[in-house]
Amino acid sequence: MRKRRPQGEEASAPWPAALYRASVPLQARLAEIADLLGNPFDRTLLEIGSDHGATAWHLRRLGGNWENADPDAASTASLQELAGDRALHIPGPDLPYGDATFEVVVISGGLERVADDSRLIAECHRVLKPLGRLIVAVPGIKRLSLPRGLGRLLGLTAERLGRVRLGYTESQLFDLLKDGFDVELARTCNRFFVELLEAVAQWGARKGADEAGWGASSLRWYGALRYPFKLAVALDTLLAFTRGYDLIARARRRPWRPRRAPILSDGRSIAEAALGGKIGTAAPF
């Protein structure tokens, strides 16, 4: 029988923990990140995110010596309540850390919010130790996407979501990484039905943010949609052959060397061919 969490412990948990427990899409994304991360024990790690500390809370529970940075000022304030002076606001792509400081850098929800994303990747390369690992989680882009079409109808533009760009295709992400990293693994999660509900939850959270604040509004909407999200997860198992809407990649640092990725005759990159298809050409699922 599953052990129930004491009410006092639940009440005393920081709200980023409550957001993690309420958001099914966030849980799926962080499960993939944690799997690619492996055991962080006794390693120095940096997390760059922008979800008010929900990712930082989860990753810190896994162990390791973490530093945190956030490109969004309001999100940083929540993060600092959780991580204290080990959480910094980074208004641009430059990172306030020394060369070869970290063994792992995790970017989750941060890359699409920085205007000069190529500079941020170069900075991650600088602060990583030789043969360090970079894990990047970004919103994926698909053409003919019904969930993203619903998002547009609901006014979920990049600006409304606090992003510079809505997301990336795999080829766009690999192109950002190719000068200083070799991609080892790439995965996706959160398919069609989950993404439909995610658009509704994002719309509702932002609609109520002016009144209740972003955190309270998010918890209310994700909490209200918890059981519909579980049904969506079950329905998405029927679509296991499709790619998800969240893209997660792990790359190994190597010496920085600008290079051009070869393109095959059908327009695919070598990376796309290795992963089995042209990115963004799946059906509207």
Side-chain angles (χ1 to χ4, degrees):
M1 180 178 294
R2 187 176 179 179
K3 185 178 179 181
R4 290 181 59 87
R5 181 181 297 275
Q7 291 184 354
E9 183 182 347
E10 183 72 33
S12 63
W15 83 260
L19 177 60
Y20 168 80
R21 296 184 185 120
S23 174
V24 170
L26 179 60
Q27 292 172 22
R29 184 163 60 251
L30 292 184
E32 294 291 349
I33 291 174
D35 188 54
L36 293 179
L37 179 63
N39 184 3
F41 177 74
D42 204 28
R43 289 196 282 177
T44 55
L45 311 98
L46 170 66
E47 182 263 338
I48 303 171
S50 190
D51 58 5
H52 295 256
T55 295
W57 174 83
H58 177 72
L59 294 179
R60 282 171 173 266
R61 293 175 69 220
L62 302 178
N65 183 22
W66 287 93
E67 301 281 343
N68 301 93
D70 197 314
D72 180 80
S75 181
T76 303
S78 299
L79 178 61
Q80 287 174 338
E81 292 181 10
L82 178 72
D85 59 4
R86 305 194 76 171
L88 301 177
H89 175 226
I90 49 170
D94 294 334
L95 298 177
Y97 306 102
D99 296 355
T101 300
F102 302 102
E103 294 166 83
V104 180
V105 173
V106 177
I107 307 177
S108 178
L111 193 62
E112 65 274 14
R113 298 175 188 273
V114 176
D116 193 348
D117 52 359
S118 59
R119 172 68 178 174
L120 179 57
I121 293 299
E123 280 287 280
C124 290
H125 185 275
R126 180 184 64 79
V127 303
L128 273 169
K129 295 180 179 180
L131 302 181
R133 295 301 193 272
L134 173 65
I135 298 174
V136 184
V138 294
I141 294 293
K142 291 186 179 185
R143 292 184 292 179
L144 303 176
S145 166
L146 292 179
R148 293 289 158 85
L150 174 62
R152 285 193 295 271
L153 287 175
L154 295 175
L156 296 178
T157 62
E159 182 180 7
R160 178 67 172 159
L161 292 170
R163 304 173 188 170
V164 176
R165 58 195 68 81
L166 279 174
Y168 298 83
T169 65
E170 284 189 1
S171 59
Q172 288 170 339
L173 180 59
F174 293 166
D175 189 60
L176 274 176
L177 298 174
K178 71 179 186 301
D179 290 344
F181 296 91
D182 292 319
V183 176
E184 298 176 317
L185 290 169
R187 300 174 179 175
T188 65
C189 63
N190 294 325
R191 293 178 171 83
F192 177 75
F193 292 103
V194 167
E195 188 66 15
L196 275 178
L197 279 179
E198 173 74 346
V200 175
Q202 290 276 346
W203 170 78
R206 279 158 177 76
K207 186 178 179 181
D210 293 338
E211 236 178 77
W214 188 88
S217 183
S218 296
L219 288 176
R220 182 165 62 245
W221 276 86
Y222 281 105
L225 293 172
R226 179 176 298 181
Y227 292 107
F229 265 122
K230 289 184 177 181
L231 175 60
V233 170
L235 291 172
D236 275 345
T237 60
L238 303 175
L239 303 174
F241 60 92
T242 66
R243 303 189 70 76
Y245 284 82
D246 281 298
L247 170 62
I248 305 100
R250 186 182 71 197
R252 184 181 71 252
R253 185 191 185 279
R254 58 166 175 74
W256 191 270
R257 184 178 68 254
R259 61 181 183 178
R260 298 183 63 183
I263 302 297
L264 302 179
S265 59
D266 61 1
R268 294 183 299 166
S269 68
I270 296 296
E272 287 175 325
L275 290 167
K278 177 70 175 174
I279 306 306
T281 57
F285 299 106

